[in-house]
Amino acid sequence: MQANATADLKAGAGVGELWAGVLVGPTAMLMQLEINYALVPWACGTGHTWPLHVVSLVALVVTVVAGMLAYRIWGRLSTDEDSGGALARSRFMAAVGVLISLLMALVIVAQWLPVFFHSPCER
């Protein structure tokens, strides 16, 4: 499996997946924050909070999928190599993607909790 992973990384096939694992979680968290801020006046006027829940749920699912993608790459790369080669750097980047996705999932849940407990009309 390591030979295939090395060949994929040298060909550039896994680079996009590595960057997706690192960047998708923070992007989803920021989009959830901005979209929910934009939806608050509408939710206050109509009394419907379901769009706020849908946006948060979608952001959480996207972040978890990005973390699972990074974890899959991390598990595919072995730790047999002690040098600072492409596999070691890619494994580190995949681990960072997993950790960032976990952190962003926690932030999304923390931003989602007030929707359950507060009215969108509170100031």
Side-chain angles (χ1 to χ4, degrees), residues 16-85:
E17 293 175 350
L18 287 169
W19 279 109
V22 171
L23 296 177
V24 167
T27 303
M29 183 274 300
L30 291 172
M31 289 181 66
Q32 179 242 4
L33 180 68
E34 291 298 321
I35 292 170
N36 276 351
Y37 269 129
L39 286 175
V40 164
W42 179 85
C44 179
T46 63
H48 299 294
T49 60
W50 63 267
L52 303 174
H53 293 290
V54 169
V55 169
S56 298
L57 180 64
V58 168
L60 184 62
V61 168
V62 166
T63 302
V64 168
V65 168
M68 290 174 28
L69 175 69
Y71 182 75
R72 183 182 65 125
I73 295 169
W74 179 76
R76 191 173 66 186
L77 302 174
S78 71
T79 59
D80 296 341
E81 188 176 304
D82 285 333
S83 66

Side-chain angles (χ1 to χ4, degrees), residues 78-104:
S78 71
T79 59
D80 296 341
E81 188 176 304
D82 285 333
S83 66
L87 286 178
R89 288 190 305 269
S90 298
R91 186 169 170 86
F92 175 76
M93 191 169 175
V96 168
V98 170
L99 294 174
I100 286 178
S101 295
L102 286 173
L103 178 64
M104 292 302 109

